[in-house]
Amino acid sequence: MVVAYDSPAMRLCLATDPGLADDRFPLQRNLAAMELFAGLNSAHLSLFATAAWRRRFSRGEVIFREGEPADAFTTIVSGLVKVARTASDAGDCTLALSGARESVGTASVLQRGLHTATAYAGSEIVEVLRIEAEPVLTAMSVDPSVAAAVNRALLAELDALSSKIAILSAGPVPRRLARLFLTLADRFGDEMVDGSWGIPVCLSRADLASLVGARVETVIRVISTWQKRGVLRTEEDRFELLRPEALRAELDGQRRSGFRTRRFASAPDLLSKLA
């Protein structure tokens, strides 16, 4: 069943950007490639395309802000998105990094609430698709395939948060950083013929410190040591893992030493932490 969709907001978008209407079929293809809508039929994709629009952001620009109404789903076409939450003391605490085909802020949209974190463009250029929530939520209530697709995307977002938990529980700061860089390589990196990895991700030392829960000064010391040993090289817009086996050995040393991963008793607000 196809649910007709019309809204003042969408009519305004079409009126101010007539090319949006002609761009529906490319939008359908974009939507089909997203984890949020993977496997849905053309009728649903056509409907959601009428409520979707593309936006480009430059590094550091806000895609959605903590405290704003979560009235649209957000999926990433290209680039890297950083999700951060305002800390009680000062500055932001980075919760997760997400890349192409992934979604951000889904939990808050499903709860029909406010975003509980801010999403920033984390790479030079980020392109996202935003889809008004109402037609998707309506379709979820009548079609299990739509609900299943959205739930899969939500689980992927939860997995991103679980990655941070694994990083924070890896032990001392060098092990946390090793876990972080290996995770970034696995999710966003490219393996070279010599076994090294290029990670096209630009993160400041403060970003790295936030991701591993450490002081910036400590992170600088560890990275400086790795650079001198030829383990890691940092460029303006990327990291290069020259000897990833050295980082794996750091984690293997954790297991040989009998270090036990710290267990978390509960995470009742796991969904809200994903914005």
Side-chain angles (χ1 to χ4, degrees):
M1 179 179 71
V2 177
V3 182
Y5 178 78
D6 189 23
S7 76
M10 196 60 208
R11 287 195 296 272
L12 178 60
C13 286
L14 291 171
T16 55
D17 187 357
L20 203 59
D22 298 331
D23 209 24
R24 182 177 304 178
F25 291 111
L27 280 176
Q28 282 184 235
R29 289 194 291 270
N30 287 154
L31 290 173
M34 300 296 113
E35 290 181 350
L36 188 63
F37 302 114
L40 296 185
N41 62 41
S42 59
H44 283 122
L45 294 175
S46 177
L47 169 65
F48 299 154
T50 66
W53 64 99
R54 269 192 295 259
R55 289 292 182 270
R56 281 193 173 192
F57 299 88
S58 299
R59 189 191 307 278
E61 287 188 324
V62 172
I63 298 170
F64 58 74
R65 193 179 299 277
E66 182 177 350
E68 290 180 348
D71 53 8
F73 290 93
T74 303
T75 63
I76 305 164
V77 177
S78 63
L80 185 76
V81 171
K82 180 177 75 172
V83 179
R85 196 169 188 176
T86 303
S88 55
D89 47 2
D92 289 338
C93 173
T94 302
L95 298 175
L97 298 171
S98 298
R101 300 186 67 247
E102 298 177 337
S103 57
V104 290
T106 302
S108 292
V109 179
L110 293 175
Q111 294 170 345
R112 302 173 189 260
L114 303 178
H115 282 298
T116 57
T118 299
Y120 300 93
S123 54
E124 196 65 30
I125 295 294
V126 173
E127 185 173 6
V128 304
L129 278 174
R130 303 209 70 193
I131 307 95
E132 290 193 25
E134 204 53 46
V136 180
L137 295 174
T138 299
M140 287 179 65
S141 68
V142 298
D143 191 325
S145 68
V146 180
V150 174
N151 285 337
R152 284 194 299 271
L154 179 60
L155 289 175
E157 290 190 51
L158 292 175
D159 188 57
L161 182 58
S162 296
S163 295
K164 175 155 186 179
I165 293 175
I167 290 165
L168 291 175
S169 60
V173 174
R175 291 174 183 164
R176 283 180 251 161
L177 280 168
R179 174 74 72 184
L180 171 63
F181 279 113
L182 291 172
T183 299
L184 292 175
D186 181 58
R187 292 188 64 199
F188 308 117
D190 299 305
E191 186 173 13
M192 307 304 173
V193 293
D194 62 357
S196 65
W197 284 79
I199 307 174
V201 171
C202 179
L203 294 170
S204 68
R205 300 299 188 261
D207 289 331
L208 294 172
S210 178
L211 283 165
V212 302
R215 293 170 57 88
V216 175
E217 296 81 4
T218 306
V219 168
I220 291 173
R221 284 197 298 271
V222 173
I223 290 180
S224 177
T225 298
W226 286 350
Q227 288 176 318
K228 292 175 181 176
R229 293 177 179 173
V231 174
L232 175 73
R233 181 162 57 218
T234 61
E235 304 290 347
E236 183 178 348
D237 60 348
R238 63 193 285 111
F239 296 100
E240 294 182 9
L241 296 188
L242 305 177
R243 293 173 50 212
E245 71 278 1
L247 300 187
R248 297 188 189 102
E250 184 79 46
L251 295 177
D252 287 342
Q254 160 192 329
R255 288 189 281 270
R256 287 197 300 269
S257 68
F259 175 80
R260 293 187 177 181
T261 298
R262 177 163 54 96
R263 295 184 179 274
F264 289 77
S266 63
D269 59 342
L270 198 58
L271 293 179
S272 67
K273 285 184 180 295
L274 277 172

